[in-house]
């Protein structure tokens, strides 16, 4: 396991190892494959944070899978601004498709609420959400988080796709603010 890392002005300590992330993602992959057995699944990946989770989770699925991307962000520094910006809205027709939204972390739920309201999802056959991390103490909405990797306290974390002002996404383990 790695040591404390500095990103900009802040220090982060090891939190969840790459190995433990991979073990849990395999379990999620089996659960999702079982639930959608014999169905094709459309993964809607929320960039940028979910890119690594999506890569590993998609590889753990024993299903016919399509992948699309949407780029959203609401964070500045270590707290949510509440204002969501969208780029790259998915152009494919999601009509009659089973859609699984892939998120890195559900925090306040503002981003999830925005996603659930997207016009392009209205015609989908079903919409569920898979998030690597969930912060129940910060969550202010009621949407069910169908597939959760880890429930974590309301602490800021980086690594494995998650960033602090642009840095830290390439770290293989998950780190928390010291
Ligand atoms: P929400 O809209 O408050 O639920 O925040 C969701 C988004 O904020 C996530 O998809 C992340 O991009 C970002 N975010 C929330 N918590 C963290 C964190 O601990 N580290 C890095 N990014 C985070
Ligand atoms: Mg995100």
């Amino acid at each position: 396991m790695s040591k404390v890392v500095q990103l900009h002005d802040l220090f982060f300590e090891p939190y969840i190892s790459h190995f433990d992330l991979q073990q849990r993602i395999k379990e999620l992959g089996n659960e999702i494959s079982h639930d959608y057995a014999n169905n094709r699944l459309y993964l809607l990946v929320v960039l940028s944070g979910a890119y690594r989770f999506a890569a590993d989770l998609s590889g753990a699925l024993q299903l016919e899978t399509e992948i699309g991307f949407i780029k959203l962000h609401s964070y500045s520094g270590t707290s949510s601004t509440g204002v969501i910006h969208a780029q790259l809205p998915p152009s494919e027709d999601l009509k009659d498709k089973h859609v699984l939204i892939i998120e890195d972390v559900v925090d306040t739920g503002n981003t999830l609420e925005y996603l659930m309201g997207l016009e392009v999802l209205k015609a989908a056959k079903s919409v569920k959400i898979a998030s690597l991390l969930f912060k129940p103490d910060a969550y202010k909405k009621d949407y069910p988080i169908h597939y959760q990797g880890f429930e974590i306290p309301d602490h800021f974390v980086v690594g494995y796709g998650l960033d602090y002002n642009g840095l830290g996404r390439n770290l293989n383990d998950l780190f928390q603010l010291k």
Side-chain angles (χ1 to χ4, degrees), residues 57-164:
L57 182 65
S58 62
L61 297 176
Q62 301 103 47
L63 294 171
E64 269 191 11
T65 301
E66 297 175 279
I67 303 193
F69 302 91
I70 182 167
K71 186 164 166 112
L72 297 183
H73 42 91
S74 69
Y75 254 62
S76 171
T78 61
S79 64
S80 182
T81 60
V83 184
I84 295 163
H85 306 276
Q87 296 163 17
L88 263 191
S91 49
E92 290 99 328
D93 190 356
L94 301 183
K95 192 171 178 323
D96 295 331
K97 293 187 176 176
H98 292 290
V99 176
L100 184 64
I101 295 171
I102 311 285
E103 260 286 27
D104 50 357
V105 50
V106 175
D107 184 13
T108 62
N110 289 332
T111 306
L112 184 56
E113 178 168 70
Y114 177 90
L115 285 164
M116 298 306 282
L118 283 175
E119 202 51 42
V120 69
L121 291 177
K122 300 263 152 67
K125 191 179 242 169
S126 70
V127 180
K128 285 190 177 184
I129 162 109
S131 187
L132 177 67
L133 307 170
F134 177 47
K135 299 181 182 174
D137 298 338
Y139 195 51
K140 294 185 297 201
K141 311 290 175 189
D142 302 313
Y143 303 101
I145 317 296
H146 305 92
Y147 303 101
Q148 304 171 17
F150 298 87
E151 267 194 15
I152 63 168
D154 188 9
H155 286 160
F156 190 75
V157 296
V158 294
Y160 195 67
L162 292 98
D163 75 307
Y164 166 51

Side-chain angles (χ1 to χ4, degrees), residues 3-38:
K3 302 200 175 66
V4 168
V5 295
Q6 179 172 7
L7 303 172
H8 300 292
D9 54 327
L10 298 180
F11 292 88
F12 295 86
E13 60 192 6
Y15 183 40
I16 302 177
S17 72
H18 190 73
F19 182 83
D20 289 348
L21 293 171
Q22 296 304 316
Q23 289 300 113
R24 182 67 188 123
I25 290 167
K26 274 186 204 132
E27 290 174 7
L28 283 178
N30 288 336
E31 190 183 340
I32 293 166
S33 301
H34 176 264
D35 291 354
Y36 289 91
N38 304 315

